[in-house]
Amino acid sequence: MDTFQLQQLRDLPIEEVAARLGMEVARHKALCPFHDDHHASLSFNVRKNRFRCFVCDANGGTIDLVMRTMHMDFGEACRWLGGNSLAELDHHSPRPSTPRTPPPFDASRYERYFERPWLSAAARGFLFDERRLDARVVRWCRLTSWHDREGTEWLQTPYYDRQGKLVGVQNRNLTRGAEPRFRFPMGSQCGVYNLPVLNRLGRGERLWITEGCSDCWAMLSAGNKAIAIPSATLLKRRDAEMLQALCGEMGTELHMFPDRDVPGERLFLELYKVLPSLVHHELPEGCKDYGDYYMRLKGKGVANG
C-alpha cells in the first residue's frame, strides 16, 4: 500500500469508521471501548479527523481506532479499512458491524506485583520527595513500580473494589511530559479509587472526594479518609447508590475540594446531581488542586488538611 492509499485511509471520516466498528456516535461522542465506560467519554474531532478519550487517554486517527478496537496490527487494520470499501463509506449511511469483544481484565496476572510492592528510585522520588506523601499511605495503596523494555519508569496503581478484589490497574509514566501519561491493561475497571477505605468509616465521619489518585494520596496523607472520582462518567450507579446509602445509614458527610478550574467545578456540579449532600470547599488562591494545597500545608507544618 503506497503513501497515497494510506492517506486515503487516514482521511476517511472518523465518525463513520467508528460507526462501522459498531459504535453508536451521537453529538461527536460514543462509549469508549477501551475502558469500562457508561457515559460516552470518547470524543471525535471531525476537523482534525481524530478521536480521544479524556478518561483513559486513548487517542489517534482512523487506523489507530481500528487497530485498538479490533486488536489488529497496522497492516491488518489497513486491509480491514481498505477492504470495507472506501467509496461506500463516502456515499452510504454507516452500517454497524460487530467488533471483537475485548478480553476481561485478568487480575491474576497483576496481583503478585502488589503482594510485595517495590519502588524504584524514580518512584520514591515522585512519591516522597516531590509529593511528600506519608509512607503509610503508599503502603495502604500498595503502590509499586516497574520499567518497560525501553527503560521508561512507571508507577503502578491498583484499583480494588470494596471487598478488596483487584479490578484494574493504572500505570503512570514517571517521565515528566512524556506520552502516554497513563496506560491501562485491557479490561481495567478504573472507576472509583480507594473503595476499601469505606469499610473503615465511622458513623458521621467525613469522606473526601478527590479528582485523581495523586490528590487522594495527598488527602490520605493529611489524615483524612478519601476516594477519587476523576470523572462523573466513571461513577457507576451501584457505586453512587453505595455512597448514598452511607450518607443515609452511617451519616457519612461527603466533602470535596474541586480543582481550581472550569473542569473541576463542572465535575463537582455533576457529582452534586447524584450526591446532593456533597459539600463544596474552595481551594486557596494559588492552589490548582488539593495536591498543591497539601504541599502548602506541609510547608507550614500543618499535620491535618
Side-chain angles (χ1 to χ4, degrees):
M1 185 172 291
D2 58 29
T3 303
F4 176 75
Q5 290 173 312
L6 281 177
Q7 192 58 49
Q8 280 188 305
L9 298 180
R10 293 189 174 109
D11 289 341
L12 292 171
I14 188 74
E15 291 186 343
E16 295 186 17
V17 172
R20 277 298 183 91
L21 290 167
M23 301 180 199
E24 294 185 10
V25 181
R27 297 182 180 180
H28 309 307
K29 290 187 176 182
L31 290 175
C32 179
F34 312 124
H35 73 278
D36 189 27
D37 193 12
H38 297 270
H39 291 86
S41 60
L42 191 71
S43 295
F44 298 96
N45 186 325
V46 293
R47 183 175 62 84
K48 295 183 178 180
N49 211 41
R50 295 181 65 81
F51 72 91
R52 180 170 184 180
C53 175
F54 290 93
V55 175
C56 70
D57 204 36
N59 64 89
T62 54
I63 300 174
D64 304 294
L65 186 61
V66 174
M67 288 173 64
R68 294 199 59 165
T69 305
M70 302 290 284
H71 311 293
M72 295 177 172
D73 61 26
F74 183 82
E76 290 173 330
C78 289
R79 286 191 291 274
W80 186 92
L81 276 171
N84 273 271
S85 178
L86 305 186
E88 187 177 325
L89 278 174
D90 286 330
H91 299 294
H92 293 278
S93 300
R95 294 175 300 180
S97 61
T98 304
R100 300 177 187 176
T101 302
F105 176 67
D106 184 5
S108 63
R109 181 179 177 184
Y110 300 95
E111 285 171 334
R112 59 191 177 92
Y113 296 118
F114 305 110
E115 292 175 356
R116 296 181 180 178
W118 173 81
L119 296 175
S120 65
R124 295 183 66 84
F126 173 75
L127 296 170
F128 301 125
D129 299 334
E130 182 180 335
R131 299 285 177 164
R132 301 179 67 181
L133 301 176
D134 190 314
R136 293 170 296 180
V137 170
V138 174
R139 289 194 296 270
W140 161 260
C141 295
R142 302 188 197 180
L143 304 181
T144 189
S145 60
W146 64 289
H147 62 269
D148 59 26
R149 293 178 181 178
E150 286 72 40
T152 303
E153 298 274 1
W154 298 88
L155 181 69
Q156 200 164 39
T157 303
Y159 278 68
Y160 297 95
D161 63 17
R162 190 173 178 178
Q163 289 70 44
K165 177 184 176 183
L166 182 66
V167 295
V169 174
Q170 178 197 81
N171 294 289
R172 180 185 182 125
N173 196 322
L174 292 176
T175 303
R176 190 180 298 276
E179 294 292 342
R181 187 182 177 192
F182 297 104
R183 284 169 52 180
F184 299 86
M186 185 66 69
S188 286
Q189 298 180 42
C190 296
V192 181
Y193 176 68
N194 198 34
L195 281 174
V197 79
L198 302 183
N199 301 321
R200 297 192 169 198
L201 282 172
R203 182 168 294 278
E205 195 171 1
R206 282 189 177 188
L207 176 67
W208 290 86
I209 296 179
T210 61
E211 293 193 38
C213 295
S214 57
D215 283 345
C216 186
W217 302 331
M219 187 64 77
L220 294 169
S221 294
N224 305 298
K225 292 185 174 131
I227 58 175
I229 306 177
S231 169
T233 63
L234 295 179
L235 183 62
K236 297 179 181 177
R237 178 177 295 180
R238 66 172 182 268
D239 292 329
E241 291 174 349
M242 178 171 55
L243 292 172
Q244 291 165 353
L246 283 173
C247 295
E249 298 169 8
M250 294 285 293
T252 301
E253 297 182 6
L254 300 179
H255 294 257
M256 183 177 184
F257 277 103
D259 284 1
R260 199 179 177 88
D261 54 22
V262 173
E265 291 297 331
R266 184 184 301 122
L267 174 60
F268 172 82
L269 292 174
E270 290 173 349
L271 291 176
Y272 183 74
K273 293 176 184 177
V274 183
L275 305 168
S277 64
L278 183 60
V279 179
H280 182 286
H281 296 259
E282 187 168 350
L283 290 165
E285 193 73 34
C287 295
K288 64 181 179 63
D289 55 31
Y290 185 80
D292 281 355
Y293 186 31
Y294 170 74
M295 293 297 293
R296 179 180 294 188
L297 295 173
K298 288 289 287 186
K300 294 179 179 179
V302 179
N304 194 307

